[in-house]
Amino acid sequence: MSKDLIISVNDSEISIALLEDKQLVELNKEKRNVKFSVGDIYLGKVKKIMPGLNAAFINVGFEKDAFLHYLDLGAQFRTLHRCYIQATQGKLKMTPLSKFKPEPDIDKEGKISDVLTTGQTVIVQITKEPISTKGPRLASEVSIAGRNLVLMPFADKVSVSSKIENPDERNRLKLLIQSIKPKNYGVIVRTVAEGKKVAALDAELKELLNRWETAFGSIRKDIKQPRLLLGEMNRTTTILRDILSTDFSNIIVDDEMIAGEVRSYIREIAPEKEKIVKVYKEQYPIFDQFGVSRQIKGLFGRTISFKGGSYLIIEHTEALHVVDVNSGNRSKSGSDQESNALSVNLEAAREIARQLRLRDMGGIIVIDFIDLQSNENRQSLFDKMKELMSDDRAKHNILPLSKFGLMQITRQRVRPEMTIITDEKCPVCRGEGKTASTILLTDEMERTLTTIIEKVKTRKFLLRTHPYVAAYLKEGLFSMIGKINKKFGVSIKVQAIESYHFLQYGFFDRDGNEIDLT
């Protein structure tokens, strides 16, 4: 299976598309001005204690206070807090964390008011970004993630990913990490560490330790709260850290600076893969060039078609997501009803697993499959769903089909669900139901061109427009665009853009920069 990462960069956001065998399976959009990210560690202020919820609201600088439950404080909360106090007093440099004497663990059945007080400064980590009207979700059991390892201050234990099934390899990794990790630190060995040599793991562990100790070294008594203590990497490198594997084929970026950052990161974690990073320099939009725009339009609607004329209907509510499986034209096939239903359900399961990753749907998902009478077929569908979701990085739990043919899935939600509106308002009437004459489009283009010629000196332009309009402008030996070029004494190259709506167009210079008329 080929894996390609396509990264589109503009002024407001970075869009990251993961393609498997040219099929879009994940889409991430990172706003370039958003300061919150899962994994960021903050110094926050306790704003309000809520004994009834056994939780507290923490000010970490967001417009809504973040939520911290007692169970998310972590057993070593008192040790972490005393470490912070000593850091503000400048004593931490004299006592390294590896020699720090731990405090007793907090009571698992305790109360939040026994541990926190209003106005207290706490070290917290974002575990869920703000979703809907809710603020971020926090934990005080902090962790610093790397490519192969996750460092957990004061946990003092070593865990190995359950996805590493070989008992000898699990034992090797556990003994290896125990021999190199300092006291008072815990480590989780990630799946990609399988087969890695001690030198690579030791170097990464030292880098994670340095990040944590450097962050603590910046703490002073007069420091203002709330404040970012240790930031997670940007979304692009975070995704690379989590998904980069030996079978990655290409990482294609349309921005030199971001490509440099990606190349630098890969050079650190997998030098042999550095050559797969390529800079896209064509004028044609990168998502259109690799078919991403077309797939986005077809995959984010309410109705999703798949093999053989069958389709899904996906509905979203505040409480859960509902997926309805419909056989469509397949119901007219000559095969018996049971085998037809199983075939449709198996294909639907494949598309549903893809949709969950693509839209990053979280919480409760209820799937209404076509009824199956055979217990063997119901088990087969359940097993297939588990197999298809085995590559999903989000934590999830799948329940067998109920007697009503419903399958329930819970999937970890740490970020808002990816929602893209695929329906377009009519570009001519703007939803009012009345249209202007399309014959005036070329007149409008000529007026725009006149304004541009008065403003800029160049006579070479790129006109991007809908494929139908582009075909009309270039049609014939004496084409419309040829007449415009002759009339205005310019050289205009027409480029068809699939993602443009019917009457959308724009003038660009030959470097692909849109000409601003403001």
Side-chain angles (χ1 to χ4, degrees), residues 180-196:
I180 61 175
K181 82 169 186 67
K183 190 179 178 183
N184 286 339
Y185 286 98
V187 176
I188 298 173
V189 182
R190 307 183 76 177
T191 308
V192 290
E194 187 172 8
K196 291 295 194 317

Side-chain angles (χ1 to χ4, degrees), residues 143-151 158-165 169-170 172-174 177 187-196 201 204 208 232-233 237-244 265 269 393-394:
S143 61
I144 303 98
R147 167 72 173 158
N148 302 292
L149 308 172
V150 179
L151 182 70
V158 176
S159 303
V160 180
S161 168
S162 59
K163 292 185 178 180
I164 300 178
E165 298 177 352
E169 177 64 5
R170 291 176 60 85
R172 181 189 78 89
L173 289 169
K174 190 166 187 176
I177 298 300
V187 176
I188 298 173
V189 182
R190 307 183 76 177
T191 308
V192 290
E194 187 172 8
K196 291 295 194 317
L201 298 178
E204 182 171 310
L208 295 175
E232 181 59 283
M233 297 178 292
T237 49
T238 300
I239 291 173
L240 282 174
R241 180 191 69 195
D242 292 341
I243 69 176
L244 186 66
Y265 176 69
I269 64 170
R393 299 194 310 277

Side-chain angles (χ1 to χ4, degrees), residues 235-252:
R235 182 75 62 86
T236 310
T237 49
T238 300
I239 291 173
L240 282 174
R241 180 191 69 195
D242 292 341
I243 69 176
L244 186 66
S245 60
T246 54
D247 60 349
F248 237 72
S249 306
N250 297 290
I251 299 174
I252 305 172

Side-chain angles (χ1 to χ4, degrees), residues 43 84 88 218-225 227 229:
L43 292 177
Y84 162 74
T88 62
S218 68
I219 295 176
R220 302 182 307 277
K221 188 174 183 179
D222 59 345
I223 201 167
K224 293 182 178 180
Q225 292 92 25
R227 175 182 178 270
L229 181 63

